[in-house]
Amino acid sequence: MGYIFGFALLVGAIAASSLQLGIKVVGGSTASLICCLEPVFSVIVGVFLLGETVRANNLIGCALIILAVITIVRQDKKDQEPLLEKASNV
């Protein structure tokens, strides 16, 4: 039982360290968007590595997540355009 706890602690520490490193490299906004895609990556890994079958509700969920991320990215670009225009006018 102790080995399982130790392994879980190690994996959790690696995940937390990787997230912190990712935030430093790509920035908080991009890192949070990538984290939103975690369920999509989980489905992909499950299919290719574990041989799981994909059901319609899995595909619909993945599509909604991807659509939400695309919507957020587009909205961020629209919000930044006025800032870029103000900066170029100075």
Side-chain angles (χ1 to χ4, degrees), residues 39-40 43 47 52-65:
V40 176
V43 169
V47 168
E52 293 184 7
T53 57
V54 180
R55 297 187 184 116
N57 60 346
N58 298 115
L59 292 175
I60 292 169
C62 288
L64 289 173
I65 291 169

Side-chain angles (χ1 to χ4, degrees), residues 39-52:
V40 176
F41 296 134
S42 298
V43 169
I44 293 169
V45 168
V47 168
F48 289 112
L49 294 182
L50 303 175
E52 293 184 7

Side-chain angles (χ1 to χ4, degrees), residues 1 8 10 14 16 24 31 34 39 53 57-58 67-69 73 77:
M1 188 71 168
L10 176 68
I14 291 171
K24 286 181 185 178
I34 292 170
T53 57
N57 60 346
N58 298 115
L67 182 64
V69 169
V73 169
K77 286 183 181 179

